[in-house]
Amino acid sequence: MIPVFDGHNDLILRLLEEPGRRETIFLDDDAEGHLSLNRMKAAGFAGGFFAVYLPSPPAGDDEDRQRMMQHPPYALPLPAPIPFDRAIGPAMAAMGHLLWMERASGGALKIVRSADELDRCIADGTIAAILHMEGAEAVDEGMEMLHLFHAIGLRSIGPVWSRPTAFGHGVPFAYPSSPDTGPGLTEAGMRLVRECNRLKIMLDLSHLNEAGFDDVAAISDAPLVATHSNAHAVTPSSRNLTDRQLGMIRDSGGMVGLNFSVAFLRPDGRRLPDCGWDPVLRHMDHLLDMLGEDHLGFGSDYDGATTPEVIGDVTGLPALLGALERHGYDRTLLEKIAHRNWQALLRRTWGG
Ligand code: ZN
């Protein structure tokens, strides 16, 4: 079995939302959601980016939103910004949940803080967790918190989840839509990029709009990375990357992780899981054409997305690799996509 290292999951969010059930969710295999310790081990899940994501208070009816995403065109309004003083508590709790998972796993899962640690974990079968922050609401404009989070283990950050922050503007969820939806980074956002470069914290561009993406590209000295985004040429969603952006990522030595969300995979943009392998293969082929074989991996969005029913939860990873193999991808390419490209990217970004 080829181990799969993954660009994005929202397992921490499930623990944050149901703190009394963390043993059940993570250790006891409640069979809900996409990830649990036993299923990760069984599927050859080698680890990935574990996101600290702060949920917004519900804006309107969730069922309405779901219905809209099943029937494009749609353009969902973004939730209101979360101020620093309401973000810091939940962000600290979310980081605590990942530290708890590491301890509760009894050595099966380890938080990795360097490329050497990541390589060692993948070699010996320990699940490697990268502490990632999806939206920088819990970072103060003076950046002191960034240094504190780095000391805890933070090695990757997105300046925004889609809702605006002090640092920039994200893409609203819209189909069909260009990712060019508004202004880019703020002045504080530019300082955040420079400070992340200094600390060697990876910057994730997945939820930034096109102007913000270009701002990071202009300032950052690190490879450009979109941990969980797809090809706009196949699915014209605001969350997907144009061919121009894919070229910039390739030229920077960066990386794209394929998002398993059907809303960003299906050419018709419908949030419905019955789509077979075809949309997955079309995105993979296009991303390979644009990026070359050293700059593509997976970014599942497990526990944060509706996945194709051919994939389902984490135990569907071997079926995904099988489908790519039948499609003509050879063993060397599959190993690059499954984990080697992420390992090389993180070494380029972090150093040792
Ligand atoms: Zn996301």
Side-chain angles (χ1 to χ4, degrees), residues 269-325:
R270 299 186 74 183
R271 189 171 161 183
L272 293 171
D274 59 331
C275 60
W277 291 112
D278 188 59
V280 175
L281 302 176
R282 284 181 65 183
H283 278 278
M284 289 297 286
D285 285 348
H286 188 82
L287 291 169
L288 263 182
D289 279 350
M290 295 304 304
L291 295 165
E293 60 179 47
D294 295 328
H295 304 284
L296 173 61
F298 298 129
S300 68
D301 219 346
Y302 277 138
D303 283 326
T306 303
T307 61
E309 56 188 13
V310 286
I311 297 179
D313 70 0
V314 67
T315 59
L317 288 174
L320 169 61
L321 293 175
L324 292 171
E325 193 173 16

Side-chain angles (χ1 to χ4, degrees), residues 8 134 161 207 228 239 301:
H8 188 90
E134 185 177 35
W161 174 73
H207 282 266
H228 58 307
R239 272 282 282 105
D301 219 346

